[in-house]
Amino acid sequence: MIWQLDLLILSLIVLCALATISVKDLFSAAIIFGAYSFLMCLLWTEMGAVDVAFTEASVGAGVSTVLFVAAVFRTTRKVKDRGVKRYWTKGVGLLAATSVGGVLIAAVGDFPGFADPLSPASTHLSPYFITNTLTDTAVPNIVTSVLADYRGYDTMFETAVIFAAGLAVIAILRRSKTGVQHESREKVILSEGYEDTIIRLVARKMVPFMQLFALYVLAHGHHSPGGGFQGGVILGASFILIAISYDMKMLLGRMSEKWNVLLGNIGVLVYAGIGFVCLLLGANFLDYSILHRILPATDEIMARSHGMLGIETGVAIAVSAIVVSLYVNIASQGKHDKGL
Amino acid sequence: MIASEQAVALMVVLPLLSALVINMAGWFDRRLCFPIALFALLGSCCSAFITVSRVIKSGVIHYRLGGWAPPMGIEYVVDHLNALVLVIIFVVSLLALLFSYKSIQVELPEKILQFYTLYLLLVAGLAGMTITGDAFNLYVLMEISALTSYALIALGDKRALVASFNYIILGTIGASLYLLGVGHLYIMTGSLNMADLQTILPALLDARAIAVAFVLVMGGVWVKMAFFPMHGWLPNAYSYAPSSTSCLVAPLMTKVSVYIMIRMMFSVFNPNYIFVYLDWGRLVVPLATVAIIFGSISALAQKDLRKMLTYIIVAEVGYMVGGAWLANVTGLTGAIYHILADAMMTLCLFMVVGAIIYKLKDSSMDSMEFIFRRMPVTSVVFVIGAFAMIGIPPTCGFFSKWYLISGAIETSQWHYIFALLFSSLVNAFVFFRLFEIGFFGKKPADGHDHHAPEIAVSEAPVTMLVPMVLTALSLIAIGIYTNEIVTVLITKTLPVGL
Amino acid sequence: MEYILAKYNYWIYILLMMIGLYAMIAKNNLVKKVIGMSIFQTAIIVFYVSIGAKRGASIPIIAHGHGHDVIATAVSAAEYANPLPHVLMLTAIVVSVGTLGVALAVCLAIYRRYNSLEEDEILEQLR
Amino acid sequence: MHPPFPTATPLLAICSSLVAVPLIALSGKKPNLREFWTLLAGAIKFCLVISMAGWILAGNTHTFELWQFLPGLSIKLTVDGFGMLFALVASSLWILTSVYSIGYMRGLNEHAQTRYFCFFALSLSATIGVAFSGNLLTLYLFYELLSLSTYPLVTHHQDTEARGGGRKYLAYLLSTSIGLALPAMLVTYSLAGTLDFNVLGIFPEATAKSTLLVLLVMFIYGFAKAGVMPFHSWLPGAMVAPTPVSALLHAVAVVKVGVFSIGRILTGIFGINLLAAQNLNTVVCVIAGFTVIVSSLIALSQDNLKRRLAFSTVGQLSYIILGIGLASILGVQGGMLHIAMHAFGKITLFFCAGAIFVATGKKYISEMVGIGRRMPYTMFAFFLGSLSVIGLPPAGGLISKFLMVRGALQADLWWVLVIYLVSSFLNAAYFLPIVYKAFFCSEEEALFEKKVDEAPMCCVLPLTITAGISIGLFFYPNLFYSLAQIAIAMP
């Protein structure tokens, strides 16, 4: 860790944060927010949190930015300045921010120094995970083993959160089917104006590699940074790329709305189902070690490893499908006619 | 027996799995949604009752998820307190589900599929929040219940979107503050397991960061439960939501948050720290007093039935927070008992209003006119629910007030007693005004022996009446069995050192 | 001075948090509020990840550890960064993108109905 | 020797009219069947109550714990002398009032008669429940039930006036019971650890006098049904109710429940020894004495007969509280006895007012000149009733007033004696002119357009009976008197 670099990135982050909330153009704000996320990603790599950085790169900088851009594109770029009338709200905001800030500052004095190897956080639970991950689960990536096994229950609900979000967006935005058909018949090719052969060609060539890489990230998550989330988001991003470079009809032709939601559903179901199978086999919920009874040629430790791969696959399916669904609905305001 | 041991896990897993199954089956046939949801919640309900009986018989149950021992892994901890809350969650959600069967067909015919899926996810989230013994896991589940409730509320009428947006912003602030508080606990102790935290924390009494962690956790939970002055999001969100959503969300969300507050106060921190070392009861109880009085006065000013009920909820949250912070056994007993009582009362009244909306498409006070003749069963249920809110014996509302006031007398918090009595009186006023409209009509009759206009009986459908009547009966039953509930469940959970 | 420098990560996260909170409450534009919300959430992630940092430690992936047959080499806890906050924050990131999606969806739905993203204009229409 | 006491009798006595409620509601289409249920329930209730009287008169008490609500606190029914006295009065008068109601309601062809009889039965259950309450919680429960079940009776006419009266009624009763009685009860519970009635008082000896004083005042004003000023004004307001309601509820059930509750608290929670020892009886006497004098003065100026009766009731209720508040044995006995004496006298007066209204439609005293010639039975009964209320021979009221006066002497409170005498004089001043005008003034034909005769048989019969009982109690007061003696017999 190089603290000068650290400090530099942190100050850039603060600058970006200030810029993104103060620019008057929402599109710029979205882009600056993307930059902010990338800087975050750098910061975390620099602090050794590679998995977090990977996720932030794909989810925060990637999907979030796309969603922001899509939303801004669908609404308006302009922010009206009404500074004069809103003293009261600004006062409340300042008061809340300073009071929360003050309370937080009061706590910092008691914290152990930054990156102190003797801090409670580094000495209480984490040594167990670090020293036992191989003996318990045979997974060298400690983050993966903690994520998918020691705290697999968290992760299951995290997947459920994503699924719920996808469903929520559909519930809020999606319009009735008849309306959709009606409108899409009128406007057949909506992204005509954006047609660009080079982009389309490059995008088309990139998609298979992206998907391959996504599968690699997923499969190799046990040994290197990555896993279900990152893989799933990249997989989803490849579909979004199609939608952006071509149009939404092409995407929906390959992956209909119904399949989209069903896949998201199946992904979570794979996760919860594996947990439930453990329960049916007589162990506790999500206790993969029992799976050695039904998996050929595995002992209890490898069963955990395989179980994790199984649920990571579920996560990847769910996340990729839901990311696409989020994009499709937000970019088209729920009408499924055109994208960006 | 395995089935009874796994019942603990099934409570949360069943709604989650069935939500997924509903979503799949629903794409093929929408009529499948309701029965699947019904069976899942029935199963969860049974599991909850099995678990309660196990807890009563053999004490606290620990369930290791993934087979990992805490504090490494996540565990479920079911003691007498959250067993009670779990039963409340599943009973309320089952009754509200039954109630929603008809109303959802009218209010959201196109979104049935999403509604039921989100509904069950919400129930799973609430149950998970209640049952978990891990502070971070609680955050994840808090978010799932929040996210689903944002969506369910946004499905309401045209003002619901803005209400839902405000709820998203404030709900996120609340959840984030909670997460930050857990972060502070983590940086100071290195642990996330509640039981583990409780053993470590006494050694860190003097650290200011622990006090900050406590403030953040409480602040987060207070935003979530709409404790004054963080209540701003609640009235609009609950009153513009579809009636079947508010029947689920209004009774449960605030109550589960109150439960979490109690859990954090006494199972992570300890009474000695909060009431002796920090001594913040003196600050919070007056705030609760203000919450009660504010909620009551606002309720008085409302013209819309649901708005009025939501402000009553704000006041009731004040009851429970105040009771929990009275720093004595009686007050805490009252607060816990009131979780149960208020969940059922709120459910009862929201279902009544839901039935009125279903029949008359209106939730203003004027819609109550001649309701006693138009919907006799509904109005009897309404009367019982209102009596419970006012606190007339033998309904459960009386006994929770009894405990809360007794607790306040023990610590001489006279302002809190005044607030409780004041809100009872305001409730009495508010509800009797409605009774009068419902019984005699808006305008007084003239002449001596007039006969009121002929109004045909047009009662809500059976699927609405059954849960309503059951809830109303439960209000009385809970009141009658107060002693049993308190001695069998509540007194067992009271923390040592109070 | 040392006090400030030794904990600069924590100071920065508080600053970010205040920026986010201010934007959530004081900004008039709904999308700006959502951006504030995202900043607020990332601030917490900064906090957690900072907890996980450990001087002189490498990334939390055990080197040369393929399969449990080769675990004869004892793993020293001091060599690897604390993985737990990383796991927690993976979850938090995913949760925040979920919240973001729903919030943007609500923004879009509001825009569709009120044709505005400015809070005061919407409130005026509601009146 | 009496046979062993059937445990559940008090419960059955409470429930008999409760069971009648659905039966009455279901037979709304058939008036005769409906009224049969009402009368049957009344008869059963009266028989059940009277069946316990022998056992009580033998000096026993009976306690029956029904349900434990809170740890150490239960729904508990106790039958003792005081409760028995009140239950006898209420249940016997219910039968008469039911007969009278039938005549009155049918005579005027009132609307919503089924609702009326339902809530009537319900409120009687609550009244008997109060009489047999074994602790303050049970008493409070039935007290609230009574407030709520009488609300539809008060607002029976549903017009502006009735609704206003009903609002006032509930506002006074609920706000005082929730705002004063409930917290006082809770403080008592936290001080004493119990709420069971005990003639020795339940407060620990160390309780500060100031606390006791505050609690005493809260209790007296908290049970606003007793009509102690300034919480009395619901009572004249509630006179908008149909006359049988006024008669039973405002001469017997509602107001007497208030007085009974205060009596219970003075004798069973504080205990008269404590009251006398701490000199708290003076406080009670001042509060009640003030009400007695002021309400009598107000009654003088009322022209509406029912309003005059209402203010008279306010005064007489405080009489009883004054008697019990003397905290001397004789005073308490007199107060308890006056519950019965006043009930029979006052209900006669209300019945008469109702009968006049049914027969002539007149409400104001100034319009009743010479009415005695037209309705001789009614007005003679009125005369007898007013004798009882004033306390003149040969009516029962004399005995209770005499006892109370002796109680004042026993308690060494001379000024209370003055209150008794002045108010008796005032009573005479507002009742006797009515009787005088009715019989001895020349009949002014203009006041009665058509031929006026007696009210229907159903109306006249009950009032004759109650008037007879009022007189009879002068000669045979033994039943009630010995109950009162048992009630305050110190162990």
Side-chain angles (χ1 to χ4, degrees), chain B residues 387 392-394 398-399 402-403 405-406 409 421 424-425 432 436 439-445 448 450-451 479-483, chain D residues 67-71 73 110-111 115 137 140 148 155 157-160 163 167 170 174-175 178 182-183 185-187 190 195:
Chain B
F387 281 5
I392 288 170
F398 174 75
F399 295 100
W402 178 281
Y403 275 109
I405 294 178
S406 305
I409 288 173
L421 297 172
S424 302
L425 285 176
F432 274 98
E436 206 183 85
F439 218 79
F440 303 131
K442 256 185 305 183
K443 294 209 178 70
H448 185 252
H450 80 289
H451 293 262
I480 290 176
Y481 286 97
T482 305
N483 193 22
Chain D
W67 197 275
Q68 197 165 24
F69 263 141
L70 301 166
L73 202 57
E110 280 280 353
H111 68 281
R115 180 179 83 198
L137 178 74
Y140 182 81
L148 298 171
T155 48
H157 291 316
Q158 305 186 6
D159 53 10
T160 318
R163 285 163 78 147
R167 276 181 204 160
L170 267 190
L174 281 183
S175 61
I178 294 176
L182 179 63
M185 179 162 76
L186 279 152
V187 173
S190 69
L195 287 176

XYZ file of all heavy atoms in Angstrom, chain B residues 387 392-394 398-399 402-403 405-406 409 421 424-425 432 436 439-445 448 450-451 479-483, chain D residues 67-71 73 110-111 115 137 140 148 155 157-160 163 167 170 174-175 178 182-183 185-187 190 195:
530
model
N -61.951 -0.270 19.646
C -61.900 -0.394 21.104
C -60.497 -0.791 21.557
O -59.999 -0.309 22.575
C -62.915 -1.430 21.597
C -64.319 -0.907 21.666
C -64.608 0.365 21.209
C -65.339 -1.670 22.184
C -65.898 0.856 21.262
C -66.642 -1.187 22.247
C -66.916 0.074 21.781
N -59.884 -0.272 25.558
C -61.016 -0.613 26.407
C -60.928 -2.095 26.748
O -60.777 -2.918 25.864
C -62.335 -0.277 25.684
C -62.483 1.236 25.644
C -63.519 -0.917 26.389
C -63.580 1.722 24.787
N -60.972 -2.444 28.030
C -60.887 -3.852 28.370
C -62.102 -4.589 27.860
O -63.159 -3.970 27.734
C -60.839 -3.840 29.904
C -61.469 -2.542 30.297
C -61.176 -1.592 29.186
N -62.033 -5.881 27.566
C -60.862 -6.747 27.702
C -60.063 -6.894 26.411
O -59.447 -7.925 26.228
C -61.495 -8.070 28.086
C -62.791 -8.081 27.321
C -63.217 -6.664 27.169
N -55.900 -2.528 25.999
C -55.952 -2.103 27.395
C -54.752 -2.630 28.175
O -54.138 -1.910 28.953
C -57.248 -2.598 28.034
C -57.350 -2.337 29.504
C -57.624 -1.064 29.968
C -57.146 -3.350 30.420
C -57.707 -0.817 31.324
C -57.229 -3.104 31.779
C -57.509 -1.834 32.226
N -54.412 -3.879 27.917
C -53.379 -4.484 28.753
C -51.995 -3.973 28.393
O -51.143 -3.837 29.264
C -53.465 -6.002 28.667
C -54.746 -6.502 29.241
C -55.812 -6.843 28.430
C -54.912 -6.558 30.605
C -57.003 -7.261 28.963
C -56.107 -6.969 31.161
C -57.158 -7.318 30.339
N -51.780 -0.878 30.121
C -51.625 -1.152 31.547
C -50.144 -1.322 31.884
O -49.617 -0.706 32.806
C -52.413 -2.410 31.899
C -52.283 -2.812 33.325
C -51.227 -3.473 33.897
C -53.202 -2.551 34.377
N -51.452 -3.648 35.226
C -52.651 -3.089 35.557
C -54.445 -1.925 34.431
C -53.309 -3.020 36.779
C -55.091 -1.856 35.653
C -54.531 -2.399 36.811
N -49.492 -2.185 31.126
C -48.081 -2.436 31.413
C -47.237 -1.192 31.183
O -46.348 -0.880 31.971
C -47.551 -3.573 30.535
C -47.814 -4.933 31.113
C -48.747 -5.775 30.548
C -47.118 -5.361 32.225
C -48.993 -7.020 31.086
C -47.356 -6.605 32.770
C -48.294 -7.423 32.195
O -48.534 -8.644 32.736
N -48.074 1.961 31.279
C -48.275 2.990 32.290
C -47.685 2.537 33.623
O -47.036 3.322 34.320
C -49.777 3.325 32.427
C -50.267 3.961 31.138
C -50.021 4.270 33.580
C -51.728 4.291 31.136
N -47.878 1.251 33.973
C -47.283 0.779 35.224
C -45.778 0.976 35.196
O -45.181 1.410 36.186
C -47.566 -0.707 35.436
O -48.916 -0.960 35.390
N -45.000 4.499 35.774
C -45.199 4.899 37.170
C -43.980 4.501 38.002
O -43.502 5.262 38.836
C -46.482 4.242 37.741
C -47.711 4.895 37.137
C -46.530 4.387 39.256
C -49.002 4.219 37.506
N -52.257 8.527 27.999
C -53.673 8.786 28.275
C -54.242 9.732 27.231
O -55.354 9.550 26.743
C -53.823 9.363 29.678
C -53.379 8.419 30.790
C -53.381 9.132 32.106
C -54.288 7.214 30.842
N -54.939 7.880 24.132
C -56.144 7.058 24.262
C -57.389 7.910 24.067
O -58.325 7.511 23.375
C -56.225 6.435 25.654
O -55.100 5.668 25.900
N -57.356 9.077 24.665
C -58.529 9.942 24.553
C -58.725 10.409 23.118
O -59.842 10.437 22.605
C -58.365 11.146 25.473
C -58.570 10.842 26.944
C -58.302 12.056 27.783
C -59.991 10.361 27.165
N -64.944 7.499 17.839
C -66.369 7.702 18.084
C -66.984 8.650 17.071
O -68.156 8.536 16.729
C -66.615 8.159 19.516
C -66.735 7.000 20.444
C -65.670 6.577 21.200
C -67.914 6.287 20.511
C -65.766 5.470 22.020
C -68.027 5.190 21.330
C -66.944 4.783 22.099
N -70.177 7.569 14.949
C -71.368 8.390 14.799
C -71.755 8.517 13.337
O -72.925 8.342 12.978
C -71.116 9.761 15.410
C -72.372 10.431 15.866
C -72.089 11.816 16.395
O -72.030 12.749 15.588
O -71.917 11.945 17.609
N -73.003 5.170 12.201
C -74.252 4.711 12.794
C -75.425 5.578 12.377
O -76.467 5.099 11.986
C -74.097 4.756 14.313
C -74.751 3.619 15.004
C -74.137 2.390 15.042
C -75.980 3.774 15.611
C -74.736 1.329 15.678
C -76.581 2.710 16.246
C -75.950 1.482 16.274
N -75.209 6.874 12.454
C -76.346 7.780 12.276
C -76.282 8.583 10.991
O -77.181 9.359 10.721
C -76.411 8.762 13.457
C -76.502 8.078 14.781
C -75.667 8.439 15.814
C -77.414 7.070 14.993
C -75.747 7.803 17.038
C -77.493 6.432 16.214
C -76.667 6.795 17.231
N -75.206 8.429 10.252
C -75.101 9.231 9.041
C -74.421 10.541 9.335
O -74.174 10.912 10.477
N -74.096 11.240 8.240
C -73.328 12.467 8.387
C -74.152 13.568 9.022
O -73.736 14.282 9.907
C -72.835 12.936 7.022
C -71.379 12.662 6.782
C -70.945 13.263 5.467
C -71.797 12.773 4.329
N -71.361 13.275 3.029
N -75.361 13.722 8.496
C -76.202 14.807 8.984
C -77.182 14.266 10.015
O -77.724 13.169 9.858
C -76.990 15.407 7.816
C -76.102 16.091 6.806
C -76.868 17.219 6.120
C -76.001 17.948 5.131
N -75.688 17.126 3.943
N -77.412 15.019 11.068
C -78.373 14.554 12.065
C -79.768 14.487 11.471
O -80.147 15.302 10.622
C -78.277 15.599 13.159
C -77.646 16.782 12.544
C -76.804 16.298 11.430
N -80.493 13.496 11.933
C -81.856 13.360 11.431
C -82.742 14.393 12.117
O -82.500 14.781 13.239
C -82.352 11.959 11.765
N -88.868 13.286 15.052
C -88.728 12.416 16.206
C -88.560 10.960 15.848
O -87.572 10.331 16.163
C -89.949 12.601 17.107
C -89.831 11.827 18.372
N -90.564 10.710 18.635
C -89.021 12.009 19.427
C -90.221 10.234 19.794
N -89.291 11.001 20.309
N -88.201 9.407 12.896
C -87.877 9.193 11.499
C -87.287 7.804 11.326
O -86.799 7.196 12.276
C -86.844 10.211 11.056
C -85.477 9.810 11.481
N -85.092 9.846 12.789
C -84.454 9.283 10.785
C -83.876 9.395 12.890
N -83.455 9.035 11.697
N -87.289 7.335 10.115
C -86.602 6.089 9.828
C -85.547 6.381 8.785
O -85.800 7.044 7.791
C -87.583 5.026 9.337
C -88.533 4.628 10.431
N -88.340 3.507 11.192
C -89.631 5.250 10.924
C -89.310 3.440 12.094
N -90.093 4.479 11.954
N -56.188 -10.322 24.619
C -56.443 -9.625 25.866
C -56.734 -10.591 26.995
O -56.196 -10.468 28.093
N -57.551 -11.594 26.707
C -57.936 -12.526 27.772
C -56.743 -13.373 28.205
O -56.571 -13.660 29.381
C -59.108 -13.401 27.281
C -60.359 -12.534 27.179
C -59.344 -14.550 28.222
C -61.542 -13.243 26.626
N -55.901 -13.732 27.249
C -54.772 -14.592 27.587
C -53.508 -13.802 27.914
O -52.410 -14.334 27.831
C -54.494 -15.572 26.451
C -55.524 -16.662 26.374
C -56.588 -16.586 25.492
C -55.449 -17.765 27.220
C -57.558 -17.568 25.442
C -56.414 -18.749 27.176
C -57.457 -18.650 26.287
O -58.410 -19.635 26.258
N -53.685 -12.532 28.248
C -52.516 -11.709 28.554
C -51.561 -12.387 29.519
O -50.358 -12.455 29.287
C -52.978 -10.391 29.197
O -53.904 -9.791 28.335
C -51.811 -9.462 29.404
N -52.119 -12.889 30.594
C -51.264 -13.456 31.628
C -50.428 -14.600 31.083
O -49.229 -14.683 31.324
C -52.143 -13.932 32.783
C -51.323 -14.230 33.992
O -50.220 -13.719 34.125
N -51.840 -15.063 34.862
N -60.857 -15.340 35.849
C -59.783 -15.417 34.866
C -58.656 -14.532 35.343
O -58.882 -13.414 35.786
C -60.279 -14.906 33.505
C -59.374 -15.334 32.443
C -58.228 -14.723 32.036
C -59.481 -16.510 31.664
N -57.632 -15.451 31.070
C -58.370 -16.557 30.826
C -60.403 -17.547 31.623
C -58.159 -17.591 29.936
C -60.192 -18.564 30.733
C -59.088 -18.583 29.891
N -57.442 -15.055 35.212
C -56.331 -14.210 35.586
C -55.825 -13.469 34.359
O -55.362 -14.057 33.398
C -55.215 -15.043 36.193
C -54.265 -14.151 36.944
C -53.359 -14.915 37.849
O -53.100 -16.088 37.635
N -52.850 -14.258 38.862
N -55.954 -12.161 34.413
C -55.554 -11.334 33.280
C -54.082 -11.008 33.341
O -53.352 -11.135 32.376
C -56.307 -10.005 33.328
C -57.506 -9.998 32.465
C -58.663 -9.389 32.888
C -57.471 -10.563 31.222
C -59.780 -9.361 32.102
C -58.582 -10.540 30.418
C -59.734 -9.941 30.865
N -53.688 -10.508 34.466
C -52.318 -10.073 34.652
C -51.827 -10.797 35.891
O -52.631 -11.192 36.724
C -52.282 -8.558 34.890
C -52.862 -7.700 33.784
C -53.076 -6.300 34.269
C -51.942 -7.700 32.595
N -50.533 -10.926 36.001
C -50.029 -11.606 37.194
C -50.543 -10.925 38.459
O -50.384 -9.718 38.649
C -48.518 -11.444 37.073
C -48.265 -11.227 35.632
C -49.468 -10.541 35.091
N -53.507 -10.333 39.249
C -54.660 -9.481 39.017
C -55.612 -10.224 38.108
O -55.210 -10.709 37.073
C -54.185 -8.202 38.334
C -55.095 -7.001 38.465
C -55.335 -6.702 39.915
C -54.409 -5.825 37.824
N -91.766 4.104 18.654
C -90.368 4.499 18.429
C -89.699 3.631 17.361
O -90.094 2.482 17.148
C -89.582 4.353 19.744
C -89.771 5.495 20.715
C -88.911 6.704 20.353
O -88.086 6.592 19.439
O -89.089 7.754 21.000
N -88.669 4.195 16.731
C -87.912 3.404 15.753
C -86.849 2.584 16.475
O -86.551 2.823 17.651
C -87.254 4.316 14.727
C -86.162 5.157 15.321
N -86.404 6.287 16.045
C -84.831 4.995 15.331
C -85.277 6.798 16.469
N -84.302 6.048 16.058
N -82.750 -2.573 18.554
C -81.465 -2.064 19.017
C -81.582 -1.615 20.461
O -80.745 -1.912 21.298
C -81.059 -0.886 18.134
C -79.733 -0.277 18.508
C -79.391 0.858 17.588
N -80.030 2.102 17.998
C -80.175 3.154 17.201
N -79.770 3.106 15.958
N -80.731 4.244 17.647
N -60.079 -3.720 39.000
C -59.934 -3.936 37.561
C -61.244 -4.432 36.965
O -61.706 -3.931 35.932
C -58.821 -4.947 37.296
C -58.635 -5.275 35.827
C -57.962 -4.120 35.111
C -57.809 -6.529 35.636
N -63.664 -1.672 36.845
C -63.360 -0.750 35.756
C -63.823 -1.315 34.428
O -64.393 -0.609 33.595
C -61.857 -0.484 35.724
C -61.421 0.479 34.669
C -61.544 1.845 34.880
C -60.903 0.054 33.459
C -61.158 2.753 33.920
C -60.514 0.951 32.487
C -60.643 2.304 32.723
O -60.276 3.194 31.758
N -70.124 2.319 27.245
C -70.256 2.117 25.808
C -71.628 1.591 25.443
O -72.197 1.979 24.426
C -69.182 1.148 25.334
C -67.779 1.675 25.573
C -66.752 0.597 25.285
C -67.523 2.876 24.692
N -78.280 8.211 22.516
C -78.451 8.863 21.212
C -79.606 8.264 20.429
O -79.665 8.404 19.218
C -77.175 8.712 20.378
O -76.780 7.359 20.437
C -76.086 9.600 20.875
N -82.595 8.936 19.675
C -83.392 9.700 18.720
C -82.631 10.123 17.482
O -83.232 10.511 16.483
C -83.967 10.951 19.397
C -84.999 10.622 20.408
N -85.975 9.697 20.176
C -85.196 11.065 21.666
C -86.733 9.582 21.252
N -86.280 10.395 22.181
N -81.320 10.131 17.567
C -80.463 10.398 16.413
C -80.566 11.811 15.866
O -80.026 12.095 14.805
C -80.725 9.419 15.263
C -80.590 7.973 15.686
C -80.701 7.028 14.530
O -80.773 7.461 13.396
N -80.681 5.748 14.788
N -81.282 12.691 16.521
C -81.325 14.056 16.004
C -80.158 14.870 16.598
O -79.332 14.340 17.337
C -82.673 14.708 16.318
C -83.006 14.620 17.792
O -82.114 14.227 18.554
O -84.155 14.932 18.161
N -80.100 16.129 16.222
C -78.964 16.950 16.634
C -78.802 16.958 18.146
O -77.697 16.804 18.658
C -79.182 18.400 16.158
O -79.708 18.344 14.847
C -77.882 19.164 16.162
N -77.559 13.618 19.450
C -76.154 13.372 19.142
C -75.255 14.225 20.010
O -74.208 13.772 20.489
C -75.889 13.635 17.669
C -76.428 12.525 16.811
C -76.548 12.946 15.392
N -75.257 12.934 14.730
C -75.115 12.646 13.447
N -76.155 12.347 12.718
N -73.952 12.662 12.885
N -72.554 12.758 22.532
C -71.140 13.134 22.490
C -70.662 13.591 23.855
O -69.601 13.206 24.333
C -70.934 14.277 21.511
C -70.793 13.814 20.098
C -70.564 15.015 19.213
N -70.984 14.696 17.860
C -71.278 15.599 16.949
N -71.208 16.881 17.255
N -71.618 15.244 15.745
N -70.336 10.597 26.264
C -69.124 9.802 26.113
C -67.889 10.607 26.445
O -66.946 10.109 27.055
C -69.016 9.280 24.697
C -69.598 7.919 24.455
C -69.205 7.445 23.087
C -69.127 6.925 25.488
N -65.732 8.891 29.195
C -64.486 8.251 28.772
C -63.286 9.071 29.207
O -62.287 8.527 29.655
C -64.473 8.067 27.259
C -65.272 6.886 26.737
C -65.099 6.782 25.239
C -64.842 5.598 27.391
N -63.378 10.392 29.068
C -62.186 11.160 29.384
C -61.876 11.078 30.868
O -60.720 10.968 31.243
C -62.328 12.605 28.930
O -63.405 13.184 29.595
N -60.633 7.305 31.532
C -59.294 7.019 31.005
C -58.276 7.985 31.608
O -57.168 7.612 31.954
C -59.281 7.099 29.468
C -60.147 5.991 28.885
C -57.874 6.965 28.942
C -60.266 6.044 27.386
N -58.198 5.509 35.447
C -57.224 4.497 35.031
C -55.846 4.751 35.633
O -55.270 3.853 36.254
C -57.184 4.432 33.503
C -56.207 3.447 32.894
C -56.567 2.033 33.278
C -56.188 3.566 31.375
N -55.283 5.973 35.477
C -53.976 6.180 36.106
C -54.023 6.027 37.619
O -53.080 5.480 38.213
C -53.595 7.601 35.708
C -54.790 8.222 35.165
C -55.667 7.129 34.664
N -55.885 4.064 39.260
C -55.913 2.629 39.514
C -54.511 2.033 39.369
O -54.068 1.210 40.181
C -56.874 1.981 38.523
C -57.009 0.502 38.633
S -58.494 -0.047 37.809
C -58.042 0.041 36.111
N -53.795 2.482 38.337
C -52.455 1.947 38.117
C -51.505 2.345 39.241
O -50.691 1.542 39.685
C -51.934 2.441 36.772
C -52.462 1.638 35.604
C -52.516 2.470 34.350
C -51.582 0.437 35.383
N -51.629 3.598 39.685
C -50.765 4.024 40.788
C -51.094 3.203 42.027
O -50.195 2.732 42.732
C -50.945 5.535 41.051
C -50.196 5.939 42.294
C -50.452 6.332 39.869
N -49.508 -0.087 41.724
C -48.063 -0.119 41.931
C -47.716 0.147 43.394
O -46.689 -0.309 43.877
C -47.366 0.879 41.009
O -47.678 2.181 41.409
N -55.425 -5.103 43.747
C -56.576 -4.217 43.591
C -57.825 -4.844 44.208
O -58.927 -4.363 44.007
C -56.822 -3.897 42.122
C -55.822 -2.936 41.464
C -56.140 -2.781 39.986
C -55.845 -1.579 42.123
